[in-house]
Amino acid sequence: SSPPSRTTKNPYPVRKNSRFQSVLEPPCFLCPVERTLADKFLASSDCGKDVTVTIQEAFKEFVAEQEYKGNTERTVEFYTETLNFFLAEAGITQLEELDEKTIRTWLVNRRHLSPNTLRTYDRGLRIITRWFFARGYIEAFPMKNLPKPKAKS
């Protein structure tokens, strides 16, 4: 007779946040006691649960990275002012609300500003939302199809 099949369903869940899509599984070389301890640890953690991150939490990580990269304090202030102004005016509270329509509407409502000011807001939002997208905080880059405002010559 053939040996019993050793295929089993993986008991370790996948984290829902797109930043952590790998399967969390203890190494196969663990002894049964170590494996039990690993199972208990994974069960007690937030593994497999929806991980929700607020805009402010994601933005804190963005700021930390900008400071690490060596951006000046004024640059970080620019990003902070841009995002706070956008969030307050657009009424956004969740990362999922960052979409093309909301950003486009907000920018169109700022047409009374000088073209350079509008371009500056656009540039700041592009940098921030691209970073959110690249780090998996949002599923799509919301400004991908939005043309950049033209400067008047």
Side-chain angles (χ1 to χ4, degrees):
S1 99
S2 64
S5 173
R6 302 194 96 194
T7 59
T8 59
K9 183 179 177 193
N10 184 355
Y12 301 98
V14 175
R15 189 181 286 256
K16 301 268 187 201
N17 191 325
S18 61
R19 291 176 52 205
F20 307 99
Q21 288 182 343
S22 60
V23 174
L24 300 173
E25 182 175 357
C28 60
F29 57 83
L30 293 178
C31 73
V33 172
E34 291 170 324
R35 196 173 234 347
T36 302
L37 289 173
D39 287 339
K40 285 182 181 179
F41 171 76
L42 289 173
S44 68
S45 70
D46 64 359
C47 180
K49 299 175 185 166
D50 285 333
V51 177
T52 55
V53 178
T54 66
I55 293 176
Q56 297 305 328
E57 290 170 335
F59 188 68
K60 281 182 186 177
E61 288 189 34
F62 171 80
V63 167
E65 184 172 312
Q66 299 311 305
E67 290 170 346
Y68 170 78
K69 286 171 40 178
N71 283 345
T72 65
E73 186 177 321
R74 180 61 197 125
T75 301
V76 173
E77 285 175 13
F78 160 69
Y79 292 138
T80 303
E81 291 168 2
T82 301
L83 185 66
N84 286 339
F85 185 48
F86 170 72
L87 294 178
E89 294 287 320
I92 301 273
T93 58
Q94 303 295 319
L95 281 164
E96 297 79 30
E97 296 174 308
L98 280 173
D99 60 8
E100 181 180 341
K101 180 182 177 193
T102 304
I103 294 171
R104 183 184 338 101
T105 302
W106 186 79
L107 288 169
V108 166
N109 290 337
R110 308 278 147 331
R111 284 184 300 189
H112 64 279
L113 300 172
S114 77
N116 285 338
T117 301
L118 193 59
R119 285 173 49 96
T120 301
Y121 283 133
D122 178 82
R123 185 178 73 245
L125 285 176
R126 279 181 195 278
I127 291 167
I128 295 165
T129 56
R130 186 176 291 121
W131 188 90
F132 286 166
F133 170 65
R135 299 306 182 279
Y137 289 113
I138 54 179
E139 293 185 17
F141 176 50
M143 299 182 77
K144 178 181 178 182
N145 297 318
L146 285 177
K148 294 179 182 177
K150 293 184 179 184
K152 291 186 179 178
S153 27

